[in-house]
């Protein structure tokens, strides 16, 4: 790392999933930023951290209507995440901004668009939006999209681009680990070592603990995986990824039904729109219909 990147610690905490840590770093009294562009980037990361922590109202109330395109894009993402009722209007606005030559090429807008399209399950649209890949994080999100599409071959090509852009960046390391998990076999152990090294170097965050847990789950070691997930739950009891993985893990470790139900209920409160909860609701409604049909 060169000192040219004054935002290193803030970005690092954000990418590792230590969102409160990113906010704290950004507010440190000894932080010196060398340009207005750095100040804008700092604000973007701070507000994205608040979104990741579920504090949408802070973002919506603090970012003004005359703010930069990047901050407006973050505010739009907060509006989208805050309530299912906001989603249709947020999507209409997003598509208008992407089509507008004055705003459409903004990397933060493209990133927020990628995140929204992924959440909507519109993977082709996400890939198209992120195609320019002008920043390391945009290419990292491209990789996530391709992995969701089960196109590991294309994901590997984007990862190669990340390595050429910034080989030793935390984000490149994390993305390498996720691609390794998708490749499977002995690559899973390599992924585990990457998460472990980052945890030793920086801190055990929910992102890294979930990464290690997923590796163990892929290897069929569900009891080991659960240990990492419970550590992650201690750090953030409402973390959606941790709760999802605990539900999956619990099904394999024959957890008591009431414990599984507790995880599922917590997940439903934290993320009612997540795929696991949607699937559960669909199954429950199908079961109810089935019961109705057999009533005498």
């Amino acid at each position: 790392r060169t000192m040219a990147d004054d935002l290193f610690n803030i970005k690092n905490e954000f990418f590792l999933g230590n969102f409160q840590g990113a906010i704290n770093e950004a507010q440190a009294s000894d932080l010196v930023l060398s340009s207005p562009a750095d100040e804008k980037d700092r604000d973007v990361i701070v507000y994205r951290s608040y979104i990741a922590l579920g504090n949408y109202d802070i973002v919506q109330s603090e970012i003004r209507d005359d703010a930069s395109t990047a901050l407006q894009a973050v505010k739009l993402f907060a509006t989208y995440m805050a309530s299912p009722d906001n989603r249709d209007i947020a999507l209409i606005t997003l598509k208008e901004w992407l089509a507008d030559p004055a705003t459409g090429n903004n990397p933060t807008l493209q990133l927020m668009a990628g995140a929204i399209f992924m959440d909507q399950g519109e993977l082709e649209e996400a890939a198209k939006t992120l195609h320019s890949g002008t920043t390391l994080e945009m290419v990292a999100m491209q990789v996530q999209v391709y992995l969701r599409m089960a196109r590991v071959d294309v994901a590997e090509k984007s990862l190669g681009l990340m390595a050429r852009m910034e080989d030793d960046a935390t984000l490149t390391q994390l993305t390498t680990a996720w691609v390794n998990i998708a490749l499977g076999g002995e690559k899973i152990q390599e992924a585990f070592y990457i998460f472990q090294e980052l945890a030793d170097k920086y801190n055990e965050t929910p992102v890294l603990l979930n990464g290690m847990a997923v590796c163990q789950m892929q290897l069929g070691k569900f009891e080991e995986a659960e240990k990492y997930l419970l550590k992650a739950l201690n750090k953030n009891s409402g973390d959606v990824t941790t709760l999802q993985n605990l539900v999956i893990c619990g099904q394999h470790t024959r957890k008591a039904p009431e414990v599984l139900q507790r995880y599922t209920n917590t997940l439903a409160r934290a993320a009612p729109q997540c795929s696991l909860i949607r699937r559960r609701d669909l199954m429950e409604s199908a079961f109810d219909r089935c019961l109705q049909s057999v009533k005498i």
Side-chain angles (χ1 to χ4, degrees):
R1 164 204 175 198
T2 63
M3 285 312 292
D5 193 351
D6 299 320
L7 296 168
F8 176 85
N9 287 336
I10 305 170
K11 287 180 177 176
N12 217 45
E13 295 285 13
F14 178 79
F15 293 138
L16 290 167
N18 183 11
F19 303 114
Q20 190 57 55
I23 294 165
N24 295 346
E25 286 281 352
Q27 293 170 349
S29 55
D30 59 350
L31 177 70
V32 179
L33 297 177
S34 52
S35 71
D38 279 353
E39 289 175 12
K40 186 196 76 179
D41 286 349
R42 174 202 57 200
D43 291 345
V44 164
I45 296 167
V46 166
Y47 286 124
R48 287 179 64 194
S49 296
Y50 278 120
I51 292 171
L53 292 169
N55 295 329
Y56 311 119
D57 52 333
I58 291 175
V59 182
Q60 289 172 292
S61 62
E62 287 191 13
I63 296 177
R64 298 191 339 219
D65 291 341
D66 61 351
S68 65
T69 300
L71 286 174
Q72 288 292 343
V74 174
K75 184 177 183 176
L76 186 68
F77 185 48
T79 303
Y80 171 87
M81 292 298 291
S83 163
D85 299 340
N86 299 339
R87 297 196 167 179
D88 288 346
I89 188 71
L91 279 164
I92 292 165
T93 307
L94 177 69
K95 286 171 182 175
E96 284 175 0
W97 291 357
L98 286 171
D100 185 341
T103 52
N105 290 325
N106 183 277
T108 304
L109 176 62
Q110 290 172 337
L111 257 183
M112 297 300 98
I116 288 172
F117 289 137
M118 278 177 79
D119 186 70
Q120 288 280 310
E122 294 182 30
L123 300 179
E124 296 286 348
E125 204 63 40
K128 194 171 83 178
T129 305
L130 297 163
H131 185 67
S132 64
T134 51
T135 68
L136 194 69
E137 193 181 359
M138 278 177 73
V139 185
M141 197 180 279
Q142 268 181 24
V143 173
Q144 294 290 344
V145 173
Y146 296 138
L147 291 178
R148 286 258 199 107
M149 290 174 160
R151 289 299 309 272
V152 187
D153 55 330
V154 190
E156 282 189 282
K157 286 179 186 168
S158 289
L159 180 60
L161 174 59
M162 288 183 76
R164 290 193 294 278
M165 288 167 85
E166 207 173 337
D167 190 28
D168 60 349
T170 297
L171 195 54
T172 307
Q173 298 298 308
L174 282 169
T175 307
T176 302
W178 289 114
V179 171
N180 281 345
I181 290 171
L183 288 167
E186 61 193 32
K187 290 283 185 183
I188 293 172
Q189 199 59 51
E190 287 180 33
F192 182 83
Y193 290 139
I194 292 171
F195 291 128
Q196 200 170 45
E197 278 176 25
L198 287 170
D200 290 343
K201 188 175 180 181
Y202 298 110
N203 219 330
E204 286 187 333
T205 66
V207 164
L208 297 176
L209 289 163
N210 272 281
M212 289 187 270
V214 168
C215 292
Q216 298 294 354
M217 287 161 75
Q218 292 286 329
L219 295 168
K221 299 177 180 176
F222 292 97
E223 272 86 5
E224 277 298 306
E226 190 182 45
K227 290 176 190 170
Y228 291 110
L229 293 172
L230 291 174
K231 268 192 186 181
L233 197 67
N234 278 339
K235 290 180 179 291
N236 181 356
S237 60
D239 184 70
V240 173
T241 306
T242 305
L243 290 163
Q244 283 180 317
N245 284 330
L246 273 167
V247 171
I248 296 163
C249 212
Q251 290 164 347
H252 287 273
T253 53
R254 304 283 189 268
K255 266 277 175 277
E258 62 271 19
V259 177
L260 265 181
Q261 192 59 49
R262 200 174 301 135
Y263 291 150
T264 308
N265 290 344
T266 311
L267 179 60
R269 281 197 301 277
Q273 296 297 309
C274 89
S275 55
L276 261 182
I277 297 303
R278 280 185 204 161
R279 279 205 300 274
R280 183 202 66 171
D281 292 345
L282 281 170
M283 285 170 71
E284 284 180 357
S285 60
F287 183 66
D288 288 343
R289 283 197 303 275
C290 188
L291 278 181
Q292 293 294 329
S293 68
V294 296
K295 275 184 180 171
I296 308 300

